[in-house]
Amino acid sequence: MTSPVHQLRQAGRLEQLYIDGQWLAPEGRERAAVVCPATEEILCEIALGDARDVERAVQAARRAFPAWSATPTAQRAATLARLHGLLLERTELFAQALTLEMGAPISYARSAHVPLAAEHLRVASENLASYPFIRPRGTTAILREPIGVCALITPWNWPIYQITAKVGPALAAGCTVVLKPSELSPLSALLFAEIVHEAGIPAGVFNLVNGSGAEVGAAMSAHPQVDMVSITGSTRAGVLVAQAAAPTVKRVAQELGGKSPNLVLPDADLARAIPPGVAAAFRNMGQSCSAPTRLIVPRSQLDRVHELALAAVAQMRVGDPADPATTHGPLANRAQFLRVQQMIEAGLQDGARLLVGGPGRPEGLEQGYFARPTIFSDVHTDMVIAQEEIFGPVLAILPYDTVEEAIAIANDTVYGLGAHVQGSDKAQLHAVAARIQSGQVHLNYPAWDPQAPFGGYKQSGNGREYGVEGMEEYMETKSVLGYYA
C-alpha cells in the first residue's frame, strides 16, 4: 500500500487547505514539520493557514449554510452514511497515518482509532434519520434548528476519532463547519477531507484550515460570523478559546482535561478489577483525557493490588508502533515526552512508592518518544501526580480505609470528565456512581457506547458529545406559541 505521506504529497495536499469544496494554497507561508514520534525524524511539512484563510473558510461556510440546513434530513443522513462507508473502506490507510503521525500501535489504530471514529459517523446518520426536529407541547411547537457556522478544534491524541465526533453531529444537525485539526497530527485530517470531497458533501459545508492555535484557533474563536466553537484540548486551551469567543457571545463547547478515578469497592473481584484498570489507564499510551489514572483501592488489599498491577504491566510490549505485536508505542510528541518525564520525577520527589517504570526510555529504545509504563503506590491525594493531568503511562494507586473516604478522594480534583467504579453489589455501585462528580461513570468496565453522552463537570469543560445530546449541542431551541391552536 502507498504510504499516506506519499499519497498526500503526490496529490499536493501537504501544501493545501480544503476550502469551499476545493484544495487551495494558503494565503500565508508558514510551514510545520510533522515528526514521527517513533524515530524523531521529520516525515514531511504541511502548509499552515492564517487569519485570511479562516476568513475564506468562514465565508464559504456561511454561504453554504442556508442550503445545507434546508437539505432534507434523509439526504443529510445518506451523505453521512456514505462518509462512514468511505472511512471504513480506507481503514488501513488511516491506520498507517495514525501510526506515523502520533505513534498509535498499528494493531490499535486498526482495531480502535479508525473503527470507533467511523462509529461517530454511523451514529450521527442514524440519529438524524429518526430525530424529531418539531415537538408539540400543548399548543406550542418546540423547534430544534441548526445553530449555524461551527468552528471545530481537535487534538493530537485521538486525531480522526475527535474529528468525526464533532463533524458527524454538526453536519447532521444542519450546520456547516470549519475544522482546525492539530498541526502535530494533521495527516489523518487531510485524508478525511479527501473522503468528504468524495462523499459529495456540497462546497462550503466542510472546510479544513491547518494552523496553530494562536493564529487559526484564535481567529476562528473570535470571528463574528462563527456561531459556535467546539474544542477538545487542554483546560488552558479551552479557557483561551472561551475568552476569544466571549465578545461575540457565541456558544462554546469544551471537552478538556481529566484526572479520572477508578474506585475499587471492598467487594470487588480484584482479579477482574485491577488488570483492566491498568490497561484502561495506559490505553493509547495514557494519552486520553478520560483515562482512569487514579486507582483508588482498599488499603487492606494493597499487596494483592500491587501483584495484579505488576503482572498487567509485564504483559505490555512497548516498541515500534508499526509492529503488530506492539501494544504501546511512543508518546505522540517531544513536548509530551518531556512532560511525562517531569511528572515521574515529581512523583519520586513527593515520596510516592515506585512499583514499576520510572524516568527514561524502556531498555533497548534509544530514540523516539518512548516512556516506561509507570505505577506509583502509597500516593496521597495532595501529591502532584494525584492532582495534575499527566497524559502519559503513569498510574497512581491511592489506598483508602472507608468507602466515604474513597468517594472523597475520587472527587478531590478540579476535573470531572470520566470515572470508573468496580464492585459486586449493584445497589452500592449505583449509589457510589450517583455521588461521583463526573460526566461519565463506567461500572465494571462496560463496552464503549457511542450513544452515551460524553463531557465534563468542573474544569473538564461543558457541553456534551456523542449520541443525540452530541447532535443537540449544535442546535438552537425555538418555541412557536399557537402553532397547534
Side-chain angles (χ1 to χ4, degrees):
M1 188 190 73
T2 303
S3 160
V5 174
H6 178 74
Q7 178 171 317
L8 291 167
R9 182 178 285 118
Q10 288 295 105
R13 304 301 183 232
L14 300 176
E15 299 294 321
Q16 297 172 323
L17 312 175
Y18 187 75
I19 297 175
D20 205 12
Q22 304 174 70
W23 289 96
L24 303 172
E27 295 286 350
R29 297 181 177 231
E30 292 294 317
R31 298 288 183 270
V34 182
V35 177
C36 175
T39 64
E40 303 182 52
E41 297 174 348
I42 294 176
L43 293 167
C44 59
E45 288 190 340
I46 60 162
L48 299 183
D50 61 18
R52 294 170 293 177
D53 299 301
V54 171
E55 181 65 27
R56 290 196 290 172
V58 171
Q59 294 306 326
R62 179 57 60 192
R63 289 191 300 271
F65 176 68
W68 180 249
S69 60
T71 300
T73 56
Q75 188 174 331
R76 291 206 304 270
T79 301
L80 286 165
R82 284 197 301 275
L83 194 58
H84 168 254
L86 287 168
L87 181 54
L88 285 181
E89 284 175 16
R90 296 178 195 177
T91 293
E92 185 62 21
L93 182 65
F94 277 90
Q96 295 282 353
L98 293 163
T99 296
L100 288 171
E101 70 184 355
M102 54 81 61
I106 188 63
S107 56
Y108 192 60
R110 290 168 178 158
S111 65
H113 276 267
V114 181
L116 296 184
E119 276 293 280
H120 289 309
L121 298 175
R122 182 191 65 79
V123 165
S125 175
E126 291 188 0
N127 286 345
L128 170 61
S130 61
Y131 188 78
F133 284 87
I134 302 178
R135 302 178 188 181
R137 185 178 297 167
T139 59
T140 295
I142 309 298
L143 279 61
R144 301 306 300 268
E145 300 178 340
I147 195 169
V149 175
C150 299
L152 311 178
I153 300 173
T154 56
W156 48 258
N157 60 315
W158 285 86
I160 190 63
Y161 176 95
Q162 286 294 344
I163 287 172
T164 59
K166 297 183 189 298
V167 171
L171 297 190
C175 297
T176 55
V177 305
V178 180
L179 169 68
K180 189 204 90 66
S182 171
E183 66 276 23
L184 298 176
S185 54
L187 304 180
S188 53
L190 292 168
L191 293 171
F192 183 75
E194 288 192 333
I195 66 171
V196 163
H197 190 83
E198 189 173 334
I201 291 176
V205 172
F206 171 90
N207 305 272
L208 182 150
V209 181
N210 277 315
S212 68
E215 175 74 22
V216 170
M220 289 166 58
S221 303
H223 200 291
Q225 292 193 62
V226 167
D227 300 291
M228 173 181 171
V229 184
S230 176
I231 176 174
T232 297
S234 68
T235 298
R236 175 183 172 277
V239 169
L240 292 173
V241 164
Q243 289 172 335
T248 50
V249 199
K250 58 172 59 75
R251 183 180 300 171
V252 178
Q254 304 161 309
E255 195 263 278
L256 308 176
K259 193 68 180 177
S260 299
N262 187 354
L263 199 167
V264 179
L265 292 168
D267 68 349
D269 180 344
L270 295 184
R272 295 184 177 184
I274 303 306
V278 174
F282 291 169
R283 188 173 297 124
N284 207 42
M285 208 52 178
Q287 298 168 125
S288 298
C289 48
S290 60
T293 55
R294 292 185 298 142
L295 184 59
I296 304 168
V297 302
R299 192 182 306 275
S300 61
Q301 302 180 53
L302 202 52
D303 288 344
R304 178 61 174 156
V305 168
H306 291 169
E307 177 187 342
L308 291 165
L310 290 171
V313 171
Q315 298 299 312
M316 297 175 180
R317 176 173 172 178
V318 180
D320 180 3
D323 183 346
T326 293
T327 61
H328 293 74
L331 292 162
N333 52 70
R334 178 174 175 78
Q336 197 54 37
F337 174 78
L338 295 176
R339 164 72 175 173
V340 169
Q341 298 304 312
Q342 176 188 21
M343 295 302 291
I344 291 173
E345 292 289 355
L348 294 171
Q349 291 171 13
D350 280 349
R353 177 182 173 188
L354 181 65
L355 292 185
V356 68
R361 294 178 174 86
E363 186 177 352
L365 296 171
E366 305 304 324
Q367 63 179 10
Y369 305 132
F370 296 95
R372 302 171 67 189
T374 298
I375 299 179
F376 286 103
S377 189
D378 295 325
V379 176
H380 304 297
T381 193
D382 58 351
M383 289 182 179
V384 171
I385 58 171
Q387 289 296 323
E388 293 193 22
E389 184 176 43
I390 299 172
F391 228 59
V394 182
L395 175 64
I397 298 177
L398 297 92
Y400 69 85
D401 294 305
T402 67
V403 172
E404 283 296 317
E405 181 189 5
I407 295 170
I409 291 171
N411 289 331
D412 186 13
T413 172
V414 298
Y415 299 112
L417 190 56
H420 291 247
V421 185
Q422 319 305 323
S424 300
D425 185 324
K426 187 168 288 188
Q428 187 178 38
L429 283 170
H430 294 173
V432 171
R435 295 179 61 188
I436 291 180
Q437 299 161 358
S438 177
Q440 256 192 11
V441 182
H442 299 239
L443 304 180
N444 292 330
Y445 306 116
W448 178 73
D449 182 0
Q451 290 284 12
F454 180 67
Y457 285 24
K458 301 186 279 188
Q459 291 186 29
S460 285
N462 57 70
R464 291 296 180 267
E465 295 190 305
Y466 312 170
V468 171
E469 289 80 3
M471 185 170 68
E472 289 178 336
E473 201 68 41
Y474 296 93
M475 298 179 185
E476 290 282 20
T477 301
K478 176 186 289 182
S479 56
V480 182
L481 286 73
Y483 190 96
Y484 297 105

